[in-house]
Amino acid sequence: MEQFICNRCGKKHDITPNRWKCECGGVLNIVKDSPKIDVAAWNNYPNTLWRYFETMPFAKDSKTWESVTMGEGQSPLIVLDPMEPNTYVKIDYMMPTLSFKDRGAVVLMTKAKELGVSKVIADSSGNAGTAIAAYAARCNIACDIYLSDETSPKKIAQIKAHGATIKEIHGTREEIAAAAQKAVDAEKVFYASHVYNPYFYEGTKTYAYEIYEQLKGAPDALIIPVGNGTLVLGAYYGFKELFESKLIEKIPKIVAIQAANCAPLMRAYENGLEIAEPVTNKGTLAEGIAIAAPARSRQILEAVRETNGLFIDIKEDEILSARAMLADKGFYVEVTTAANYAGYLKYKKAPDEKIIIPLCGAGIKSK
Ligand SMILES: *Cc1c(COP(=O)(O)O)cnc(C)c1O
Ligand SMILES: [Zn+2]
C-alpha cells in the first residue's frame, strides 16, 4: 500500500480520504522506491497519458482509471516558427477542459474514486477547479469549488456546467484556500487540491514522458510558468525518473516564469532562500500564476536550482504583446499562457538550444 511522507518532518501517513497535510504543517509526498521505468510496457495502454500508468502509484491491476479518463494527454509538440527550428510549443490546452490541469486532475480524481469518496472540495484560480469539477462529474462525486469573485466568467461557467457548487469568495488567493481548507476539515471530505495532494504531480509528470517520446530524448530547456508549481514539479519529477532510469543523460534546465507583480519564488531564488516569503499580489493579468504564498516553494526552488535553471519575471505590457504575437503565429492562448512566451523571448538561449514552451490554457478561457 502506498503511503504519504511529510516533506518537513519525515513522518509517514497512511493515504486516507481525509489526510491532506502533516500535523506539523508540512506538505506530503508519496513514498516511492527508486523508479524502474519499463518503456516496453507503455504500448500496453491507450495513447493517452495513461500510457504511463505503470509509472504511477496505483496497484498494477487497478482499472479505475478506465472509467475516469477522457482521453487526456499526448498533446502535440510543434515547431513554433520554421526560422527557429529548435523552439517547440507543446499545445497542452488540447485537453478535455482546455488546460494542462487535466493531467493532474484525472489522476487525482482516479485516486479519490479508488478511496470511495462521495464529495471533494478544491480551491483554484480557475483552471484546476474546472478540471476537478469535470472529473468529479465523471466520477459521480459531489464537488465544491472555492474561487475568487474576480475569476474569468468563462471558467466559472465551465465549472457550473459540470454541476459543481461554486463558492465565490471576495479575497486573496490565500484567503480562498484557507476557506476551502476550513470547509474540508469541518465537513471531513476529500481535499482535491492540486497544491497539496501529490497524486496531482503523478499526472503532471506525464508532460515529461510525452516530450521524451516526441523528441526521442530530452530537450535542453523547459520554459514553465509557475504559481503553485504543479507543472514545474511534474516536469521535474518526470525527467528525474527518466534520468534515474538511465533513459536520458541530463535533466533539462527549468526556466521558471512568474508575473513581476506577484513573484515570491523569483525573489527567493535571487535572495538565495530555501523557502519563499509571501508577497503581496500587486495585481496581474496572469491570473493563473498569481500565487503570493506557494505552499511547495521549497520543492520548486530545489527543482529549479538542481537543473541549473533560473527565474524570469514578466511585466504586464509584455504579457499582452506576447499574446498577440502567438495569435499571429496561429495560437490563441489564455492571457496567463502568454507570459510563457514572453519568458521565452526574454530568455538568453544558447545557439541550437532545444527549448519547449508549454501552451497551458486555451484563449477562449480568458475574460
Ligand atoms: C494553473 C496554471 C498555471 C500555473 O500552474 P501552477 O501549478 O500554479 O504553477 C499556468 N498557466 C495556466 C493556464 C494554468 O491553468
Ligand atoms: Zn510533518
Side-chain angles (χ1 to χ4, degrees):
M1 275 310 276
E2 282 78 32
Q3 278 196 306
F4 287 145
I5 182 164
C6 173
N7 187 54
R8 187 186 288 172
C9 73
K11 186 172 175 199
K12 288 187 181 166
H13 299 277
D14 287 342
I15 299 181
T16 60
N18 301 324
R19 167 68 60 190
W20 62 272
K21 66 173 182 187
C22 183
E23 288 84 13
C24 81
V27 292
L28 303 174
N29 298 324
I30 300 166
V31 179
K32 285 191 187 167
D33 301 331
S34 46
K36 287 183 270 326
I37 296 178
D38 177 10
V39 173
W42 292 353
N43 280 333
N44 300 334
Y45 295 86
N47 192 32
T48 67
L49 63 75
W50 293 100
R51 193 168 154 73
Y52 315 109
F53 171 76
E54 292 188 17
T55 72
M56 298 177 193
F58 289 103
K60 208 171 167 184
D61 58 356
S62 167
K63 300 269 179 255
T64 312
W65 64 273
E66 290 180 357
S67 64
V68 184
T69 181
M70 292 195 275
E72 53 291 312
Q74 305 301 343
S75 61
L77 188 73
I78 302 291
V79 171
L80 180 60
D81 182 333
M83 302 297 284
E84 294 177 68
N86 291 315
T87 298
Y88 299 80
V89 286
K90 185 148 170 74
I91 309 166
D92 241 34
Y93 61 73
M94 287 179 63
M95 294 279 171
T97 77
L98 306 180
S99 88
F100 82 90
K101 296 292 195 316
D102 292 350
R103 291 187 185 277
V106 69
V107 176
L108 177 54
M109 289 308 298
T110 295
K111 186 65 191 175
K113 190 172 180 184
E114 275 195 354
L115 290 170
V117 312
S118 56
K119 178 175 176 181
V120 301
I121 288 179
D123 52 273
S124 163
S125 52
N127 287 337
T130 308
I132 293 291
Y135 287 99
R138 191 145 175 82
C139 295
N140 278 314
I141 293 174
C143 176
D144 291 354
I145 301 292
Y146 287 69
L147 41 70
S148 160
D149 55 1
E150 287 166 14
T151 306
S152 294
K154 287 168 187 163
K155 295 182 184 175
I156 296 185
Q158 232 182 329
I159 295 171
K160 278 194 183 143
H162 293 302
T165 303
I166 303 240
K167 306 280 188 182
E168 263 186 49
I169 306 241
H170 185 72
T172 65
R173 180 71 185 79
E174 286 63 43
E175 286 164 348
I176 294 159
Q181 289 160 10
K182 203 172 151 204
V184 163
D185 291 340
E187 296 179 39
K188 298 198 170 31
V189 296
F190 184 88
Y191 188 24
S193 169
H194 58 297
V195 186
Y196 285 91
N197 196 308
Y199 273 85
F200 201 91
Y201 305 87
E202 294 299 315
T204 53
K205 82 180 182 187
T206 61
Y207 181 78
Y209 295 150
E210 289 177 20
I211 290 170
Y212 164 74
E213 290 205 276
Q214 288 168 319
L215 288 181
K216 301 181 174 62
D220 299 301
L222 301 165
I223 305 279
I224 308 191
V226 52
N228 276 308
T230 62
L231 191 57
V232 163
L233 291 175
Y236 175 65
Y237 296 144
F239 279 110
K240 194 170 170 179
E241 288 175 9
L242 289 165
F243 176 74
E244 287 172 356
S245 302
K246 301 197 165 46
L247 292 164
I248 56 174
E249 276 160 24
K250 67 171 189 337
I251 301 177
K253 178 196 282 190
I254 295 177
V255 181
I257 309 301
Q258 294 226 279
N261 279 352
C262 190
L265 294 158
M266 166 129 185
R267 186 178 294 178
Y269 172 79
E270 286 180 337
N271 292 335
L273 302 178
E274 283 175 23
I275 299 180
E277 306 272 355
V279 297
T280 304
N281 175 5
K282 298 199 197 94
T284 172
L285 292 165
E287 65 178 1
I289 50 174
I291 305 295
R296 289 188 186 266
S297 69
R298 179 191 295 276
Q299 290 167 299
I300 297 165
L301 289 161
E302 263 170 24
V304 173
R305 287 186 175 123
E306 272 179 34
T307 65
N308 284 318
L310 66 153
F311 281 85
I312 294 176
D313 63 350
I314 304 300
K315 299 194 193 70
E316 295 302 295
D317 57 338
E318 294 170 324
I319 297 175
L320 288 182
S321 62
R323 191 182 194 213
M325 287 168 78
L326 276 178
D328 271 350
K329 295 178 190 291
F331 295 99
Y332 186 49
V333 299
E334 73 164 276
V335 175
T336 301
T337 288
N340 310 355
Y341 186 54
Y344 166 75
L345 295 173
K346 285 176 107 169
Y347 173 60
K348 294 191 179 48
K349 61 180 176 183
D352 300 330
E353 195 172 359
K354 210 176 263 189
I355 304 177
I356 295 178
I357 309 164
L359 302 185
C360 296
I364 57 160
K365 277 174 165 281
S366 288
K367 277 181 190 134

